[in-house]
Amino acid sequence: MRLDFDNTLEVLENEPLSKHSSFKIGGEARYAIFPKSKDELISAIETVTRNNAKLAIVGNGSNLLFDDDGFDGAIIFTKSMSSTEYVHSASGTFIRAECGKSLTELASEAGKKHSLAGLEFAYGIPGTLGGAVYMNAGAYGGQMSDVVIETEYFDPSNNEIKVIDKKEHDFSYRHSVFEDHPEYVILSTLLELKEGNAEEIFAAMSKNMSARKEKQPLEYPNAGSTFKRPGGNLFAGKLIEDSGLKGYTVGGAQVSEKHAGFIINRGGATCRDVLAVIEHTKNTVLEKFGVELECEVIYIPR
Ligand SMILES: Cc1cc2nc3c(=O)[nH]c(=O)nc-3n(C[C@H](O)[C@H](O)[C@H](O)COP(=O)(O)OP(=O)(O)OC[C@H]3O[C@@H](n4cnc5c(N)ncnc54)[C@H](O)[C@@H]3O)c2cc1C
C-alpha cells in the first residue's frame, strides 16, 4: 500500500508504535501522521479514506494496546494539535482547546495561570483532551462530562465538521457517543470552568498526584486501569486482588503487585503477553465472583 499525503504533512513510515504507547508495546505502523492543524488532519483523513486504507486516531496512546504486528494502515497522532483559547464572558469562563492538548497541561495551565477550577481531577491523567472526551475520563470524583460544553468533530462518512452540545455526547461512566462512533474524529472541545483560588486548585492537584504516585505502579509502563469498574460497589482491582492474581505474570506482562487494577510491562512485554494476562484475569474473576470484567484498555487494531 502506497499513500501519497500532502507533502506539507509530517509523515513517518514504518514507525514503531511502542514509541507512542504508554505500555511501550506494539509493532510498526505503515504510516504515522502528525498533523499540526485541523486542515492538515482532515487532509490526512481524506487521503486515507480515498484509498480505502485502514485508519486509527491516537492521542497520547495512554489507554491503548497496540498489536505486536503493528498497524497496516495510517495512524493519525493528534499530539501536535494543542492550541488553546481562554474566553472570559458575562455568561462564564470557557476554554476551547484542540484535541491533542495534554489534559494535565491544560489542568495545570487553567488552575495555576488562570485560577480556574474544575479540572483538578484531570491533573495526572496522561492523555490528550480528545482521548479524555472519547472515554469520559475521570478520577477523584470528577469526570470530563462535568466540564464539557460542546465538541467539534469531523465525520469522514460525509466529510462534514459537526458540533454537538453536552447532551449529545451521551456521557456515562467511561463512555461517550464517540465510543459508539469510532469513525468520528474529535477536533476541539469547549469546556466551562469556574473562577477559583490558584493556591487551593494547586493544592487539590498536588494531593491527587501524590495519591497516584502512592497507589499506582508509575515506575513501570502501563495503560492505566485495565478494566472498567463493574458497577455497584465493586472495583475491578479489588476483585482481581481477591482472586489471588497480584503478580500473575505471562512473559513481560504482570498484574501489578502495587495495584491489581493495572497490568504493567516489566520489560519486553508483548501485546500477546498482555492479552494472555487479560484473558486469565477475566476468566478467574468470572469463575470466583461471577463478575464479567470489561476492558477499559483499547486494543488496536480493534
Ligand atoms: C498511569 C496512567 C494513569 C491513568 N489514569 C487514568 C484516570 O485516572 N482516569 C482515566 O479515565 N483514565 C486514566 N488513564 C487512561 C488514559 O490516560 C485516559 O483514558 C486518557 O483519556 C486517554 O487519552 P489518550 O489521549 O492517551 O487516548 P489514546 O489512548 O490515544 O486513545 C484512546 C481512545 O480515544 C480515541 N481518541 C483519541 N483521540 C481522539 C480524537 N481526537 N478523536 C476521536 N477519538 C480519539 C482513540 O481512537 C482511542 O479509541 C491512565 C493511564 C495511565 C497510563
Side-chain angles (χ1 to χ4, degrees), residues 38-249:
K38 193 158 81 176
D39 288 348
E40 284 197 357
L41 183 140
I42 291 172
S43 137
I45 295 174
E46 284 172 349
T47 302
V48 177
T49 46
R50 201 171 46 242
N51 289 279
N52 292 320
K54 281 201 286 180
L55 173 70
I57 308 293
V58 169
N60 201 32
S62 66
N63 203 38
L64 297 179
L65 177 62
F66 291 119
D67 196 89
D68 299 319
D69 290 338
F71 190 79
D72 185 23
I75 300 198
I76 295 182
F77 293 90
T78 64
K79 274 181 277 190
S80 310
M81 291 175 60
S82 62
S83 76
T84 310
E85 186 191 352
Y86 288 79
V87 184
H88 298 266
S89 77
S91 55
T93 309
F94 303 91
I95 305 178
R96 179 175 296 285
E98 283 187 315
C99 57
K101 179 78 178 182
S102 147
L103 199 58
T104 292
E105 232 174 83
L106 187 64
S108 166
E109 229 173 71
K112 292 182 199 165
K113 274 202 210 151
H114 298 265
S115 304
L116 292 175
L119 277 175
E120 294 86 332
F121 76 90
Y123 187 71
I125 297 181
T128 59
L129 178 60
V133 170
Y134 176 93
M135 58 96 72
N136 192 16
Y140 304 110
Q143 53 190 344
M144 292 308 293
S145 55
D146 299 341
V147 289
V148 168
I149 297 294
E150 65 179 37
T151 290
E152 178 196 39
Y153 70 93
F154 179 69
D155 181 352
S157 65
N158 50 19
N159 286 348
E160 272 184 27
I161 293 178
K162 295 174 183 160
V163 176
I164 51 169
D165 64 19
K166 189 198 230 9
K167 199 159 167 267
E168 291 167 301
H169 283 74
D170 192 25
F171 282 127
S172 59
Y173 170 70
R174 300 296 173 271
H175 173 269
S176 79
V177 66
F178 296 103
E179 226 185 14
D180 301 328
H181 290 277
E183 73 279 13
Y184 292 172
V185 182
I186 297 166
L187 301 172
S188 68
T189 293
L190 183 72
L191 309 174
E192 183 172 19
L193 300 187
K194 297 211 159 30
E195 303 288 342
N197 173 297
E199 267 175 41
E200 284 170 19
I201 295 167
F202 181 60
M205 291 194 302
S206 304
K207 192 172 160 222
N208 291 347
M209 191 53 114
S210 302
R212 281 180 186 278
K213 285 185 182 151
E214 192 196 323
K215 296 199 180 109
Q216 299 180 357
L218 303 183
E219 319 70 53
Y220 291 100
N222 68 76
S225 300
T226 314
F227 302 101
K228 293 186 179 182
R229 216 184 282 160
N233 292 329
L234 298 174
F235 289 91
K238 175 94 171 67
L239 291 167
I240 298 166
E241 182 172 350
D242 293 348
S243 300
L245 289 172
K246 264 191 169 179
Y248 176 77
T249 305

